[in-house]
Amino acid sequence: MAHSKALLVLENFIAGKFVPCSSYIDSYNPSTGDVYCRVPDSGKEEVEAAVRAAKDAFPAWSSKSPLERSRIMNKLADLIEHDLEEFAQAESKDQGKTITFARTVDIPRAVYNLRFFASSILHHTTECTEMASMGCVHYTSREPVGVAGLISPWNLPLYLLTWKIAPAIACGNTVVAKPSEMTSVTAWMMCKLLEKAGMPHGVVNVVFGTGAKAGEALVCHPDVPLISFTGSTLTAQRITEKSAPHCKKLSLELGGKNPAIIFDDADLSQCIPTTLRSSFANQGEICLCTSRIFVQRGIYSEFVKRFVAEAKKWKVGNPSDPTVNMGALISKEHLEKVRSYVKRAQAEGARILCGEGVDSLDLPAGNQKGYFMLPTIITEVRDESCCMQEEIFGPVTCVVVFDTEEEVVERANGVKYGLAATVWSSNVGRVHRVARRLQSGLVWTNCWLVRDLNLPFGGMKASGIGREGAKDSYEFFTEVKTITIKH
Ligand code: NAD
């Protein structure tokens, strides 16, 4: 297909150089529906070159002191922060998210990821035990693993990519990263800053392309001993199969079907605005978004009335408009998939209280072909319904009623996922009890998305394997060895 000259054309970043690719794929601006960028359609050959570069860079990088690595990472953080507005504009255009979200969440967090791991790597200690009777001391040492394969999704592009790159390189590994083919631009922009940050060539390599070609070539490469993956549970199953013959180390951060449990003693003035954000922030395209809201019978009617009224106030439109609350969904196919869930719920007898199919969406002239949808609230839906069981990953949330603590814990746990849950109550005892019983890697009580990067992040059941965070990422990105000395 012929393309106008104005298209942005990305190149792979291998051994410190931008390298063109023999074929490209189109990338769309979700808020207009136009192709605006061409992304390398890399395969085995490009992955091979990137792995070789990473392998060559490993001996020198892994023998640098943590402080030396830390300095380079901090410099990279400063450079991204200096260009924060440019990065935020690019992320918003590429992904469809609002400029406000990109400015206040995505890019600041990408900067913080680098600074956080640049700092935390300086503070780890290893273990030592003594066996006086045997005249022995034992201690552990930790070493980087080698070339890390990093595969990230499209919902929080630079945020999640740096959440992997930062701990990997801080620990002394070199990396080959593959961002989502739908959101590759900010990773490419970051590569432009690596030289200036002082990053030695080959430490960070980025190969762009699809999961089936570039992703799978990375997963199957024999010289990549560990894969850190964030994405869907289905893709994780495939990655697990493909990497099994090589016995690779895997970290899998996957989907969710996250409950919010709202007891009748909840402070609704806090709970309603937070639950709106937890349901619809970033178009509902966050693995941690709430999609099943259980409300205790005593406050159910009031909650629904106020929640729907507030959702109707959310402005959907041009992501670059700072007054907009919700931008465009990532792609036409994804929008259709999300809409199909609402139709299926309707066909099953559920009621749509606002949004899709109920309210009209007024879009600016330039956004008529964008992939927009209104915040949608579904009620009178059975727990077995696909809308209550499957990850929709869009601005759709279900509200249902419950009576007892015992009942709601069982229902909240009644899905295959176990990533994040939110509990709203002013009863401290109850909050602890429920949090302990929920099958969920993260439980927020009376808040949402408040993170301390020191502590473990990750999911149970189909939501993932392994945890990330200061100590957990350090353990994943290093190999431990126990050494015994007899004197
Ligand atoms: P996806 O699984 O389709 O793709 C994720 C990445 O994997 C992309 O880079 C893709 O190109 C690549 N990929 C696809 N097939 C591959 C294969 N066979 N081999 C290797 N790589 C392959 O997921 P997505 O649609 O990009 O992202 C949405 C999903 O990510 C949702 O399920 C969401 O919940 C999940 N997610 C989880 C977290 C978390 O921390 N738990 C965070 C964000 C998103």
Side-chain angles (χ1 to χ4, degrees):
M1 197 205 300
H3 289 289
S4 86
K5 276 200 184 115
L7 288 188
L8 178 64
V9 181
L10 310 189
E11 290 178 323
N12 288 324
F13 189 74
I14 298 174
K17 289 192 184 62
F18 284 100
V19 190
C21 193
S22 53
S23 60
Y24 287 82
I25 40 185
D26 290 337
S27 181
Y28 293 80
N29 175 339
S31 71
T32 62
D34 297 330
V35 172
Y36 88 106
C37 173
R38 306 196 75 210
V39 175
D41 185 14
S42 310
K44 275 191 184 153
E45 199 182 312
E46 291 76 13
V47 168
E48 178 60 41
V51 173
R52 205 177 322 116
K55 233 179 132 179
D56 290 348
F58 181 74
W61 182 250
S62 56
S63 31
K64 278 193 191 298
S65 72
L67 189 59
E68 284 174 293
R69 296 198 291 261
S70 171
R71 281 200 187 110
I72 296 171
M73 290 171 65
N74 275 318
K75 179 80 184 158
L76 179 61
D78 292 346
L79 292 168
I80 296 175
E81 192 173 50
H82 180 268
D83 295 346
L84 192 143
E85 183 57 23
E86 209 181 313
F87 271 93
Q89 297 278 357
E91 203 73 295
S92 167
K93 185 171 180 179
D94 205 25
Q95 205 274 343
K97 64 179 68 226
T98 66
I99 185 64
T100 308
F101 201 84
R103 266 183 200 141
T104 57
V105 180
D106 288 80
I107 311 304
R109 173 62 187 274
V111 170
Y112 187 60
N113 285 338
L114 288 159
R115 290 200 179 125
F116 178 82
F117 286 105
S119 161
S120 77
I121 195 64
L122 306 176
H123 305 291
H124 293 292
T125 54
T126 54
E127 296 160 284
C128 179
T129 61
E130 202 176 351
M131 265 184 185
S133 62
M134 304 281 290
C136 286
V137 289
H138 309 273
Y139 67 94
T140 58
S141 87
R142 285 203 167 260
E143 281 148 31
V145 186
V147 178
L150 312 177
I151 302 177
S152 55
W154 47 256
N155 62 327
L156 299 163
L158 194 65
Y159 171 138
L160 287 174
L161 191 70
T162 50
W163 176 238
K164 296 185 183 306
I165 291 179
I169 63 174
C171 292
N173 303 282
T174 55
V175 308
V176 177
K178 195 212 77 67
S180 167
E181 60 276 27
M182 285 186 272
T183 54
S184 296
V185 173
T186 49
W188 171 78
M189 288 169 66
M190 181 193 72
C191 292
K192 294 204 272 182
L193 302 176
L194 291 173
E195 183 89 33
K196 203 167 171 194
M199 193 71 74
H201 293 176
V203 173
V204 176
N205 305 276
V206 182
V207 172
F208 299 102
T210 65
K213 264 175 81 179
E216 208 148 307
L218 189 55
V219 168
C220 296
H221 200 294
D223 293 336
V224 178
L226 77 172
I227 300 286
S228 173
F229 169 77
T230 300
S232 64
T233 303
L234 206 64
T235 305
Q237 286 164 350
R238 172 109 186 142
I239 289 177
T240 305
E241 275 174 32
K242 290 280 164 186
S243 60
H246 305 277
C247 297
K248 296 194 180 199
K249 257 185 133 174
L250 289 184
S251 167
L252 305 172
E253 295 289 351
L254 314 178
K257 190 68 194 170
N258 310 309
I261 301 175
I262 304 172
F263 286 97
D264 55 14
D265 59 353
D267 175 357
L268 289 187
S269 69
Q270 300 276 327
C271 168
I272 288 173
T274 305
T275 308
L276 271 175
R277 279 197 307 117
S278 76
S279 299
F280 304 124
N282 206 46
Q283 302 70 244
E285 296 168 330
I286 305 180
C287 54
L288 306 165
C289 273
T290 303
S291 60
R292 297 179 294 148
I293 306 175
F294 295 89
V295 187
Q296 204 161 17
R297 195 172 298 276
I299 55 161
Y300 180 75
S301 304
E302 186 194 351
F303 175 86
V304 169
K305 199 167 117 211
R306 287 170 62 181
F307 187 60
V308 171
E310 290 303 314
K312 280 177 179 258
K313 288 184 197 157
W314 265 42
K315 195 170 156 190
V316 178
N318 190 343
S320 59
D321 172 351
T323 67
V324 152
N325 300 98
M326 231 170 69
L329 274 70
I330 184 69
S331 67
K332 196 162 183 256
E333 295 70 30
H334 188 57
L335 174 65
E336 273 158 20
K337 181 184 146 197
V338 175
R339 281 186 169 151
S340 76
Y341 275 102
V342 182
K343 286 206 186 78
R344 283 161 75 182
Q346 248 167 338
E348 288 172 359
R351 212 147 63 89
I352 317 301
L353 296 180
C354 66
E356 177 69 17
V358 175
D359 300 302
S360 62
L361 176 57
D362 298 319
L363 292 168
N367 298 106
Q368 299 288 332
K369 291 197 194 133
Y371 318 132
F372 294 91
M373 154 170 195
L374 288 166
T376 299
I377 301 172
I378 303 179
T379 189
E380 293 170 27
V381 55
R382 287 176 303 114
D383 285 5
E384 307 76 44
S385 161
C386 60
C387 285
M388 287 286 281
Q389 291 291 326
E390 294 171 25
E391 185 184 46
I392 301 175
F393 215 55
V396 176
T397 196
C398 299
V399 188
V400 292
V401 66
F402 77 91
D403 289 295
T404 67
E405 183 180 313
E406 190 61 31
E407 168 206 338
V408 78
V409 169
E410 195 181 313
R411 290 172 66 191
N413 287 340
V415 291
K416 69 175 180 175
Y417 294 106
L419 186 56
T422 314
V423 181
W424 291 87
S425 170
S426 49
N427 178 333
V428 177
R430 175 151 65 193
V431 159
H432 281 291
R433 258 191 332 265
V434 172
R436 292 288 296 268
R437 292 184 61 199
L438 286 171
Q439 294 167 347
S440 182
L442 303 139
V443 181
W444 280 295
T445 66
N446 301 320
C447 64
W448 177 71
L449 209 63
V450 182
R451 283 271 295 122
D452 177 349
L453 303 192
N454 282 295
L455 298 189
F457 176 94
M460 306 183 173
K461 305 197 301 194
S463 291
I465 295 180
R467 296 289 185 272
E468 297 176 337
K471 184 164 168 278
D472 299 271
S473 298
Y474 177 62
E475 287 176 357
F476 177 71
F477 285 110
T478 54
E479 281 288 9
V480 69
K481 191 182 289 174
T482 301
I483 299 170
T484 302
I485 309 284
K486 187 165 164 48
H487 50 83

